[in-house]
Amino acid sequence: MSILVIGSVAFDSIETPFGKVDEVLGGSATYFSTAASFFTDVNLVAVVGEDFPDEHRQMLVDRGIDLAGLKTAPGKTFRWKGRYGFDLNEAHTLDTQLNVFETFKPEIPVRYKDSEYVFLANIDPELQLDVLNQVEKPKLIACDTMNFWIEGKRDALLNTLKHVDVLVINEGEVRQLAEEPNLRKAAQVILSMGPKSLVVKRGEYGVIMFSEHSIFATPAYPLEEVFDPTGAGDTFAGGFIGYLASTRNLTEANIRKAVVFGSVMASFTVESFSLDRLKQLDYDEIKARFKEMKLLSDFEPIV
Ligand code: AMP
């Protein structure tokens, strides 16, 4: 079952305590689709500028990602510049250049319209809504966003959230969006905005998912070395939604498994810059880490 994703395709310039790269392939939709492509077909909606090289396009095509919805517009590709200190859980944005996204009007290819799974990756919430208005009746709509849009386009974001089933954001964004410091209370506020579930990404501390009647938490895979956390959140979402779409099963038990697949995928992305690690990954490595994750938090009930 295929997934439709709208989000950014970007050139990222990143500095971490362990290295520095300039204008490497990044973007929320790029990480998402690459991760999801390990599980199912992905239809990508985004825009790039004339400076976007064929080599990046080819990498996505080789992973089976449908690029009919990737428009090339006059101008420059979206650019993001970020820095991380030793606390790798927090990205400091140094610069965001929307470029071709400023005037982008998404037009969904006809064959994308009946997509049953839709992921609104981190991008202008007005574009997210625009895409939702063009799809027929998805089974599941999930969404990500970030402080840039929570501060800059709050009303548009609240409008988009009314249509969203699962919101996937990081801990700081939960507090900021809900205007509430306590995570559990903040989750209640967000669940009243529209989403039925809230998945909170907590960097090296894992993920906690709040739904109306349940809370589920899982640790992050304990890596010895984290090199660059950029894209971890989008990769998480790609594994999470990719697994759900491939199994077409939205029971609580399966959603929990999907959260673990998301965490496993993210653990690979952070091992190197850009999509370098995902490009070399195979499904056996994913399965092996999934098994380790089960052991990591398995314990006996009390009698
Ligand atoms: P994350 O998974 O949260 O680390 O997302 C990192 C990716 O988000 C980077 O590859 C950036 O290109 C992209 N990004 C950063 N800021 C924005 C923004 N305001 N809108 C869309 N994408 C962004």
Side-chain angles (χ1 to χ4, degrees), residues 8 10 12 26-28 31 78 80 122-123 146 148-149 229-234:
S8 57
D12 288 346
S28 56
Y31 281 107
F78 177 99
W80 179 74
N122 178 25
I123 197 61
M146 75 182 287
F148 188 83
W149 306 112
T230 308
D234 309 306

Side-chain angles (χ1 to χ4, degrees), residues 14-77:
I14 301 154
E15 233 183 282
T16 79
F18 317 108
K20 189 172 179 304
V21 281
D22 262 338
E23 309 223 321
V24 292
L25 178 63
S28 56
T30 317
Y31 281 107
F32 176 90
S33 20
T34 306
S37 70
F38 284 87
F39 300 91
T40 191
D41 298 333
V42 184
N43 301 326
L44 188 144
V45 179
V47 63
V48 290
E50 286 152 333
D51 54 356
F52 194 72
D54 283 346
E55 162 206 342
H56 291 340
R57 202 181 293 267
Q58 195 55 47
M59 188 281 286
L60 298 168
V61 169
D62 290 346
R63 291 230 42 89
I65 298 163
D66 188 329
L67 299 187
L70 179 65
K71 195 177 158 192
T72 304
K76 288 169 82 178
T77 299

